[in-house]
Amino acid sequence: MKIKSAEFIVSNSEVSKCPKNNMPEYAFIGRSNVGKSSLINMITDRKSLAKTSGRPGKTQLINHFAINDTWYLVDLPGYGYARVSKSSKQKFQKFITDYFEKRTQLVSAFILVDIRHKPQPIDLEFMQYLGESEIPFGIIFTKADKLKPMAIERHVDEYCKELLNSWEELPPYFVTSSSKSIGKDDVLDFIEATNEEIEQLRAKQ
């Protein structure tokens, strides 16, 4: 997939105020400081579509971006903020779960995890929540440029083994690096193929 256009549409904290049309949506979420904004800018070929910051947890709203006027990239607040109050954190969690449970246009979530670290309980718990809620998701490993190829393979294998302790099969996963543009085509090809499947299903209805 070639990105021809990427346009910011709306930010809000209420699912009811999300775009009303029926374009498929792909939601990106992860812990603070996982490199989400950099990844979004990398896969869309835009330097500042998503705002990057040295301060973790900057994304605090549901952000919709229209890609090629055919699908939405949704930038969601992270779970596990640094430097936010407990009441704010609960509020963010509420509209995150509202989004996942009420947004019928959602096709797939992408959970971002830092490839350098062992599986973190908060990531595994969030994946478990999505699974129990029957929400499709994939895993995007970020910051692959920080490891050598053998270490990347080892870390991914370890992560997959951990997941198979509680999952019957693995979700799709992608190894990426925003600074090296690694994994961009893999993520976009997955989205393109999924969109084509949706179009085919709609045509039969």
Side-chain angles (χ1 to χ4, degrees), residues 22-28 64 70-74 99-100 102-110 130 134-138 172 190-199 201-202:
N22 205 31
M23 290 201 307
E25 297 185 357
Y26 297 84
F28 289 69
H64 274 75
T70 57
W71 58 279
Y72 286 118
L73 185 158
V74 184
Y99 173 82
F100 280 114
K102 297 178 181 179
R103 189 64 174 164
T104 58
Q105 291 90 334
L106 176 65
V107 172
S108 177
F110 289 111
L130 293 179
E134 299 183 347
I135 298 167
F137 70 92
F190 174 84
I191 293 173
E192 183 175 39
T194 305
N195 285 344
E196 289 174 355
E197 291 177 8
I198 292 170
E199 289 181 8
L201 289 172
R202 288 177 177 174

Side-chain angles (χ1 to χ4, degrees), residues 47-197:
K47 291 183 178 180
S48 57
L49 187 69
K51 304 301 182 184
T52 58
S53 171
R55 178 171 60 86
K58 182 169 182 173
T59 304
Q60 298 180 4
L61 294 168
I62 303 169
N63 299 298
H64 274 75
F65 301 92
I67 310 299
N68 292 347
D69 292 322
T70 57
W71 58 279
Y72 286 118
L73 185 158
V74 184
D75 183 8
L76 291 175
Y79 45 86
Y81 291 103
R83 300 182 185 177
V84 295
S85 69
K86 186 175 181 180
S87 61
S88 294
K89 190 171 182 179
Q90 291 173 340
K91 180 179 68 177
F92 296 149
Q93 294 287 10
K94 178 67 167 63
F95 71 72
I96 289 172
T97 54
D98 279 351
Y99 173 82
F100 280 114
E101 294 170 11
K102 297 178 181 179
R103 189 64 174 164
T104 58
Q105 291 90 334
L106 176 65
V107 172
S108 177
F110 289 111
I111 312 302
L112 278 61
V113 297
D114 189 327
I115 198 170
R116 297 173 297 176
H117 305 315
K118 293 183 178 181
Q120 301 294 304
I122 193 169
D123 292 325
L124 298 175
E125 289 168 7
F126 197 78
M127 292 176 200
Q128 188 69 29
Y129 157 72
L130 293 179
E132 291 172 353
S133 302
E134 299 183 347
I135 298 167
F137 70 92
I139 299 171
I140 295 182
F141 293 102
T142 63
K143 305 186 181 184
D145 57 290
K146 305 295 185 181
L147 297 176
K148 294 182 178 179
M150 291 294 291
I152 291 172
E153 184 176 348
R154 184 174 68 254
H155 283 220
V156 170
D157 285 346
E158 290 175 356
Y159 214 102
C160 290
K161 287 178 182 177
E162 178 67 30
L163 288 174
L164 289 173
N165 287 332
S166 54
W167 294 80
E168 292 184 1
E169 59 182 72
L170 294 171
Y173 62 86
F174 311 88
V175 175
T176 71
S177 164
S178 299
S179 63
K180 302 292 185 181
S181 293
I182 296 170
K184 171 184 173 182
D185 290 341
D186 294 334
V187 175
L188 290 177
D189 287 348
F190 174 84
I191 293 173
E192 183 175 39
T194 305
N195 285 344
E196 289 174 355
E197 291 177 8

